Every structure is written in structure tokens, then in C-alpha cells.
């Protein structure tokens, strides 16, 4: 041991090699001591042997803890692996393989080579940066190769699962982060093109929804028109003029046929109730029934000859049905033509 004296009480201090701060056992004063080459040379052979033995012991502990850590990784016991890597770093803070073990636990891989098989960009991870900083040349070379392959795998996964423009933008950014690797540049360009297409589709979808909302409101209003026709038919109770009553009959008949034509047009143009085709025909039957009843009511009020309400109703219903079929066919053709033109021009939606 090297012999020093306390600066306060002048007591003899026994300082071992490697100790820089020592507390005097007599007065309690903490002080810094420095061993020069002469002091080290003056140390006894037993001290030197003890220090060499301690170093060998620490080195053996590091290797043992590292071995245990990687065994825990093979068993997928991630937290235990991290704990043993920390024990290594307590003895050797610049051990690159310990940081490698912690990185493997972070991304949950069992073997070092598996770092190239996952779809995770772990290059920004702190443990990756430390492993690169303190690792040996072979470890650094392997890690860089694994990392770029894993980052490329992530970009491919993002591209394959992309559905929206933002998804393709993220994939393109990820491919650019590994520019020059395999076909990353080509796929980055492809993702940017797909991003543009998805933006156009999103804009068209928004316009289409706005159009659908507008036409849906019109469609719902059309469904209520026969009710207004029935209310209009009630005017005949207060009218003594057959001309007015005939005019009302003509108006509600035209309205009924136009409602059915518009119904067919909207059905094909914006796909209202496409999931339930039967709903398409229910309003047609209801419209004709309400309108036929309204006509029968008006004719009954007019008292023209023999007034059989049921007979008038069925005659009106048959005539209106025939006219509705013609009007519905015309509306159906126009609606399909409009829908076909819309599907051919997806890039520029026109109302």
C-alpha cells in the first residue's frame, strides 16, 4: 500500500491503488489523493496480485452476466435479460454487447440475426446508438446492416397496409430513410404517386358525399309529395268548379309520375337504398295508391254520373301504374347513364 498523511491531523493514511477520495479514520476529513508512478511502483507485490485478481474476477462476472442475458433472450424473458445487461454495464459501462442485449430486449428478438427480420426502424433507439458507439468493428458492421434491412422491411409493411394518402406518405418517408438500398428509391416514388391518387380520390369522395347529401334530401322530399297531393285533393271539397277539380287531378297525376321518375333516377345516380332493392318499389306503390285515392275522392266530390269510389280508384291506379312504368323507365335510363359517366371520370367528379 502507498502511505499518505492526512492534511488536517497528520495521521497516516493507507491508500490502495485506484482510490482517489479517502476519508481519514481519525478526524473524518475527506480528501483527494493521487498515486504517481513512484507510488504505484512502491506498492507491495501482494497488492498488485490482489488488483489483478479483482480485474480477472470482474471480467469473468461480465462474461457470465452476458451469457445469462442472452440465454434469457432466447427464452423470450425480456425483463430478466435487461436486468443482467444492466449488471454488465455496472461493471463495464462501455460494453457494446450489453447495449446490444438491451436493444434485442426492446424489439423482442431472440437472436442477433433476427434483428434483420423484423419490421421496426430501431435506428433512433438509444441502445442502438450506444451499441454502435461502444461495439467492436464487427458488431457495428452487423448492426448497421441489420438496422437498414429492418427499416426497409418496415417501409414495405407500411406500403402494403396503406389505405389512405397519409399512409402512403409515411411509407414514402420510410423508404427515403433507406435511400439507395435495394429498390427503396423506386418504391418511394411509387408511394408518392399513390399518395396523390388517394388525395384525388378523397377529394372526389367528399364531393360525392356532398352531392349525395343534397340529392338524398331531394329524394326524401319526393317521398312525401303524394301526401301533399292528397292535401291538394281536399281543395275539391271547397271548389264548385269542375275545371278546377280537373286541373287538380292533372297536377297530382303529373306529380306522381315525376316522383317515380326521379325516384328511379336517384336510385341509379347516387345509389340510394342499393343494399335494399325492395325499398325502391315500396314508395312507387304507395305513391300510386295515395294519388289514385286522391283522384277517386275528387271525382266523388264532382258527382259525375255513377260514382263508385272503388271503381274509380282501380281505374286511376292502373292508368297511373302504366304511366309510372314509362316514367320510371326513362328515369332509370337517365340515372344509369349519369352513373356510368361518373364512374368513368373518377378524377374529376361532376355534379
Amino acid at each position: 500500500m502507498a502511505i499518505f498523511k492526512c492534511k488536517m491531523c497528520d495521521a497516516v493514511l493507507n491508500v490502495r491503488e485506484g482510490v482517489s477520495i479517502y476519508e481519514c479514520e481519525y478526524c473524518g476529513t475527506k480528501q483527494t489523493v493521487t498515486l504517481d508512478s513512484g507510488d504505484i511502483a512502491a506498492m507491495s507485490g501482494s497488492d498488485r496480485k490482489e488488483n489483478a485478481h479483482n480485474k480477472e474476477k470482474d471480467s469473468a462476472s461480465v462474461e457470465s452476466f452476458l451469457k445469462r442475458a442472452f440465454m434469457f433472450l432466447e427464452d423470450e424473458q425480456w425483463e430478466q435479460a435487461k436486468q443482467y445487461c444492466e449488471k454488465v454495464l455496472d461493471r463495464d459501462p462501455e460494453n457494446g454487447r450489453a447495449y446490444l442485449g438491451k436493444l434485442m430486449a426492446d424489439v423482442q428478438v431472440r437472436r442477433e440475426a433476427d434483428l434483420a427480420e423484423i419490421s421496426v426502424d430501431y435506428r433512433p433507439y438509444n441502445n442502438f446508438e450506444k451499441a454502435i458507439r461502444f461495439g467492436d468493428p464487427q458488431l457495428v458492421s452487423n448492426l448497421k446492416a441489420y438496422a437498414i434491412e429492418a427499416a426497409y422491411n418496415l417501409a414495405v409493411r407500411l406500403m402494403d397496409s396503406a389505405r389512405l394518402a397519409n399512409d402512403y406518405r409515411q411509407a414514402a418517408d420510410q423508404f427515403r430513410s433507406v435511400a439507395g438500398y435495394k429498390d427503396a428509391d423506386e418504391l418511394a416514388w411509387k408511394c408518392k404517386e399513390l399518395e396523390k391518387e388517394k388525395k384525388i380520390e378523397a377529394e372526389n369522395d367528399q364531393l360525392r358525399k356532398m352531392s349525395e347529401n343534397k340529392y338524398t334530401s331531394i329524394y326524401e322530399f319526393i317521398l312525401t309529395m303524394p301526401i301533399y297531393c292528397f292535401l291538394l285533393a281536399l281543395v275539391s271539397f271547397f271548389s264548385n268548379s269542375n275545371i278546377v277539380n280537373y286541373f287538380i287531378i292533372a297536377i297530382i297525376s303529373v306529380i306522381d309520375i315525376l316522383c317515380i321518375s326521379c325516384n328511379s333516377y336517384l336510385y341509379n345516380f347516387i345509389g340510394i337504398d342499393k343494399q335494399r332493392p325492395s325499398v325502391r318499389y315500396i314508395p312507387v306503390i304507395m305513391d300510386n295508391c295515395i294519388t289514385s285515392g286522391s283522384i277517386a275522392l275528387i271525382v266523388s266530390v264532382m258527382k259525375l254520373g255513377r260514382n263508385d269510389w272503388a271503381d274509380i280508384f282501380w281505374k286511376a291506379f292502373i292508368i297511373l301504374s302504366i304511366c309510372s312504368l314509362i316514367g320510371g323507365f326513362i328515369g332509370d335510363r337517365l340515372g344509369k347513364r349519369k352513373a356510368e359517366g361518373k364512374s368513368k371520370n373518377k378524377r374529376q367528379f361532376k355534379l
Side-chain angles (χ1 to χ4, degrees):
M1 298 181 182
I3 300 176
F4 290 85
K5 289 186 177 181
C6 177
K7 297 177 182 179
M8 297 298 295
C9 64
D10 205 33
V12 177
L13 305 177
N14 293 322
V15 181
R16 294 182 180 274
E17 181 185 9
V19 177
S20 59
I21 299 177
Y22 190 84
E23 182 177 349
C24 179
E25 58 182 316
Y26 299 101
C27 66
T29 303
K30 291 184 178 180
Q31 48 203 295
T32 303
V33 295
T34 305
L35 293 175
D36 55 26
S37 58
D39 294 325
I40 296 174
M43 295 178 68
S44 64
S46 60
D47 288 334
R48 293 178 182 178
K49 290 181 180 179
E50 182 180 354
N51 288 332
H53 176 72
N54 290 336
K55 290 181 179 179
E56 291 177 0
K57 186 177 180 181
D58 286 343
S59 178
S61 298
V62 165
E63 290 301 321
S64 177
F65 288 147
L66 272 177
K67 187 174 181 180
R68 289 292 304 279
F70 280 87
M71 289 177 67
F72 280 126
L73 288 172
E74 289 182 0
D75 294 336
E76 298 184 0
Q77 299 182 32
W78 316 119
E79 291 303 320
Q80 291 88 334
K82 286 183 179 180
Q83 291 174 7
Y84 272 82
C85 287
E86 287 294 342
K87 290 181 180 181
V88 172
L89 294 173
D90 288 339
R91 291 162 174 75
D92 182 8
E94 296 183 355
N95 190 295
R97 289 196 62 78
Y99 288 111
L100 170 64
K102 292 183 67 177
L103 173 64
M104 291 170 62
D106 288 339
V107 297
Q108 298 186 353
V109 296
R110 297 173 58 195
R111 290 174 292 272
E112 180 182 332
D114 292 341
L115 287 170
E117 304 298 326
I118 58 177
S119 301
V120 179
D121 189 356
Y122 48 79
R123 290 175 296 176
Y125 287 22
N126 183 56
N127 287 321
F128 174 80
E129 294 176 352
K130 293 288 181 63
I132 293 294
R133 179 180 175 185
F134 299 118
D136 58 71
Q138 184 62 47
L139 175 61
V140 171
S141 177
N142 290 342
L143 266 182
K144 287 182 177 179
Y146 297 152
I148 196 169
E149 177 65 22
Y152 175 84
N153 292 340
L154 174 61
V156 172
R157 181 171 65 83
L158 290 174
M159 180 180 178
D160 291 341
S161 61
R163 295 294 180 271
L164 305 176
N166 187 52
D167 299 333
Y168 283 108
R169 182 173 66 253
Q170 291 179 0
D173 292 341
Q174 186 63 32
F175 276 121
R176 281 196 291 266
S177 73
V178 290
Y181 183 72
K182 293 184 177 179
D183 56 350
D185 296 335
E186 178 183 348
L187 293 178
W189 177 84
K190 184 176 180 180
C191 286
K192 290 302 293 182
E193 292 299 311
L194 290 172
E195 178 190 355
K196 293 177 182 178
E197 290 182 8
K198 289 297 180 180
K199 283 183 177 180
I200 293 173
E201 287 182 9
E203 292 173 357
N204 289 342
D205 286 342
Q206 184 176 6
L207 289 173
R208 178 179 56 79
K209 288 179 180 179
M210 292 173 60
S211 175
E212 286 183 358
N213 291 336
K214 180 179 70 174
Y215 283 106
T216 299
S217 300
I218 297 173
Y219 176 80
E220 292 174 350
F221 175 75
I222 288 174
L223 294 180
T224 63
M225 285 302 295
I227 298 175
Y228 299 114
C229 290
F230 180 77
L231 296 177
L232 183 62
L234 297 179
V235 175
S236 62
F237 282 98
F238 307 97
S239 174
N240 295 323
S241 173
N242 288 342
I243 296 177
V244 172
N245 292 333
Y246 282 128
F247 183 70
I248 294 174
I249 291 174
I251 289 176
I252 62 178
S253 299
V254 171
I255 290 175
D256 179 65
I257 296 170
L258 288 177
C259 286
I260 294 171
S261 299
C262 291
N263 180 292
S264 299
Y265 176 83
L266 294 174
Y267 178 83
N268 290 284
F269 177 42
I270 57 176
I272 292 178
D273 295 328
K274 283 272 188 178
Q275 301 299 323
R276 296 181 298 164
S278 60
V279 176
R280 177 185 181 185
Y281 304 104
I282 294 176
V284 175
I285 298 173
M286 291 181 61
D287 286 0
N288 284 342
C289 288
I290 295 174
T291 305
S292 298
S294 300
I295 293 173
L297 177 64
I298 295 172
V299 174
S300 299
V301 171
M302 292 169 64
K303 297 178 180 180
L304 298 175
R306 183 172 174 270
N307 292 322
D308 187 344
W309 186 91
D311 183 58
I312 297 172
F313 173 84
W314 286 113
K315 288 180 179 178
F317 183 81
I318 292 172
I319 295 172
L320 287 174
S321 297
I322 294 172
C323 295
S324 297
L325 286 173
I326 297 172
F329 177 80
I330 295 173
D332 189 72
R333 293 294 93 191
L334 292 175
K336 285 182 178 179
R337 185 177 299 177
K338 187 71 173 181
E340 289 172 359
K342 182 178 64 173
S343 63
K344 290 180 181 178
N345 192 14
K346 291 183 178 180
R347 288 185 175 273
Q348 187 177 2
F349 183 83
K350 296 182 179 180
L351 298 180

